[in-house]
């Protein structure tokens, strides 16, 4: 047992002793205090117990508040049903550095992907969202997991040389899907949107993982010119729209060519919709101590007033008026 608990036990014992002595003295002068019935009203029998409990609570709470280090309590607000999640599966292969994206074809595919992804983040409820970024090239690796700091995401999307973390080889888009599935497997059902940004890749007929219940929406965004390609490493590279559209169909999602246009707002309804917030800050000993002080002080302050006003019906020195409706005869003097 800790020091505040010992103090509370000692206060409870002293309060009980004091109430016992007070009850004995009151019994000796019961007729003077309460009149011929020699007793107060029935509810006052709980007053000694309430006073003892109030003194104990007040002592325990004050000792705790004295010993605890001061700090500022900040509420932790979370949306009802938990946070929603956004996974951005980003293609970081060397072909994403080709400059054939944007309305004027003057941006690299990676720059266009970053621009559209940031526009998506600007249109959604960021205080109710956690963002993860999965980079894929020959394999896939999670770069950011469940962050609320958009500056971190912006730093990842803006020309961070993520391709240096992978071995040179062919792009594996399916690896990005698999890593995203692993990441979302433990999250709440229906809480996650998977956003895949790529210029395309050959996808095998088998081996595509089943989406977990957490992923409720899949959006595939294609970057790069889908009509004219550019040479890289001895082959022609352009946006493989048919493959991306086929992947969207297999994942029961939607495909959008964002090389010149942004993502439609209809695809962001699930992320832009705000939810009621609730405070999930855990109650600590400080909150319990504050409650104990408030309850104890309120009881100690209220009991004397209640006892004085409603403790007994006897009014010392005041006679009860009888026959108030009968008027005494008036005697006229000569």
């Amino acid at each position: 047992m800790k020091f505040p608990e010992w103090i509370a036990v000692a206060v409870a014992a002293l309060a009980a002793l004091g109430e016992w002595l007070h009850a004995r003295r009151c019994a000796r002068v019961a007729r003077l205090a309460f009149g011929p019935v020699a007793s107060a009203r029935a509810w006052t029998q709980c007053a000694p117990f309430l006073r003892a409990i109030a003194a104990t609570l007040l002592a325990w709470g004050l000792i705790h508040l004295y010993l605890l280090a001061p700090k500022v309590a900040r509420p932790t607000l979370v949306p009802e049903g938990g946070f929603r999640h956004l996974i951005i599966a980003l293609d970081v292969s060397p072909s994403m550095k080709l400059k054939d994206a944007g309305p004027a074809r003057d941006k690299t595919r990676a720059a266009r992907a970053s621009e559209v992804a940031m526009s998506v983040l600007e249109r959604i409820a960021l205080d109710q969202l956690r963002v993860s970024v999965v980079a894929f090239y020959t394999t896939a690796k999670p770069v950011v997991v469940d962050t609320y700091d958009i500056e971190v995401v912006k730093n990842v999307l803006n020309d961070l040389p993520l391709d240096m973390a992978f071995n040179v080889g062919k792009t594996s888009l399916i690896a990005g899907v698999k890593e995203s599935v692993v990441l979302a497997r433990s999250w709440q059902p229906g809480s996650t949107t998977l956003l895949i940004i790529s210029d395309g890749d050959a996808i095998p007929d088998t081996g595509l993982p089943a989406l977990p219940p957490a992923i409720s929406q899949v959006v595939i965004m294609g970057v790069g010119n889908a009509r004219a390609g550019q040479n890289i490493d001895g082959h022609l590279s352009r946006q493989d729209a048919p493959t991306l559209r086929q992947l969207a169909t297999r994942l029961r999602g939607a495909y959008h060519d964002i090389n010149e246009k942004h993502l439609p707002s209809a695809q962001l309804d699930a992320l832009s919709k705000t939810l009621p917030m609730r405070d999930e800050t855990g109650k600590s000993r400080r909150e319990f101590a504050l409650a104990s002080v408030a309850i104890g002080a309120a009881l100690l302050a209220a009991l004397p007033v209640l006892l004085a006003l409603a403790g007994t019906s006897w009014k010392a020195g005041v006679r009860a008026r009888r026959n108030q409706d009968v008027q005494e005869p008036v005697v006229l003097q000569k």
Side-chain angles (χ1 to χ4, degrees), residues 7-284:
I7 294 295
V9 171
V11 170
L14 289 175
L17 178 61
E19 293 295 337
W20 177 70
L21 293 174
H22 180 63
R24 288 187 60 187
R25 292 177 179 178
C26 287
R28 296 175 184 174
V29 293
R31 290 188 177 275
L32 292 175
F34 307 122
V37 294
S39 64
R41 287 176 175 169
W43 74 267
T44 60
Q45 295 179 4
C46 64
F49 302 98
L50 291 177
R51 271 195 298 263
I53 293 173
T56 304
L57 291 175
L58 187 60
W60 182 86
L62 289 176
I63 294 296
H64 259 292
L65 292 177
Y66 178 77
L67 295 177
L68 290 174
K71 69 176 182 178
V72 178
R74 293 182 175 87
T76 302
L77 298 178
V78 299
E80 292 184 0
F83 286 102
R84 288 171 291 185
H85 303 271
L86 173 64
I87 301 177
I88 302 176
L90 181 64
D91 188 345
V92 296
S93 61
S95 63
M96 293 291 288
K97 298 179 180 179
L98 296 177
K99 188 179 290 188
D100 64 347
R105 307 286 197 273
D106 58 345
K107 297 179 180 178
T108 64
R109 299 174 184 177
R112 179 62 179 173
S114 173
E115 178 184 347
V116 175
M118 292 309 301
S119 72
V120 169
L121 295 176
E122 290 172 358
R123 289 185 283 168
I124 59 182
L126 295 177
D127 60 333
Q128 302 185 359
L129 186 71
R130 294 295 180 262
V131 183
S132 303
V133 178
V134 173
F136 65 90
Y137 175 19
T138 52
T139 58
K141 297 179 181 179
V143 181
V144 177
V145 177
D146 253 8
T147 184
Y148 57 88
D149 192 347
I150 302 304
E151 294 300 321
V152 174
V153 180
K154 185 184 295 185
N155 184 50
V156 172
L157 297 177
N158 287 340
D159 296 329
L160 194 67
L162 295 174
D163 58 312
M164 303 298 293
F166 301 92
N167 296 324
V168 178
K170 293 183 178 181
T171 304
S172 176
L173 199 156
I174 197 171
V177 176
K178 288 181 178 180
E179 189 63 36
S180 301
V181 165
V182 172
L183 195 62
R185 189 166 292 164
S186 61
W187 292 340
Q188 296 257 349
S191 65
T192 307
T193 296
L194 174 58
L195 205 63
I196 302 174
I197 308 176
S198 177
D199 56 3
D201 175 42
I203 301 175
D205 296 332
T206 60
L208 192 65
L211 296 181
I215 299 179
S216 61
Q217 184 181 20
V218 178
V219 180
I220 298 178
M221 302 192 298
V223 292
N225 194 332
R227 294 177 291 274
Q230 294 190 19
N231 288 315
I232 181 173
D233 293 335
H235 70 277
L236 194 66
S237 175
R238 65 182 179 183
Q239 183 191 155
D240 193 354
T243 300
L244 295 175
R245 191 175 288 108
Q246 176 193 10
L247 178 63
T249 302
R250 294 172 64 181
L251 294 176
R252 297 180 181 179
Y255 159 76
H256 296 279
D257 185 353
I258 62 166
N259 202 54
E260 299 180 9
K261 298 180 181 180
H262 282 268
L263 190 68
S265 298
Q267 294 292 334
L268 301 176
D269 287 343
L271 294 174
S272 59
K273 187 183 301 181
T274 58
L275 299 174
M277 305 292 284
R278 67 173 185 268
D279 185 8
E280 285 199 344
T281 304
K283 301 303 179 185
S284 61

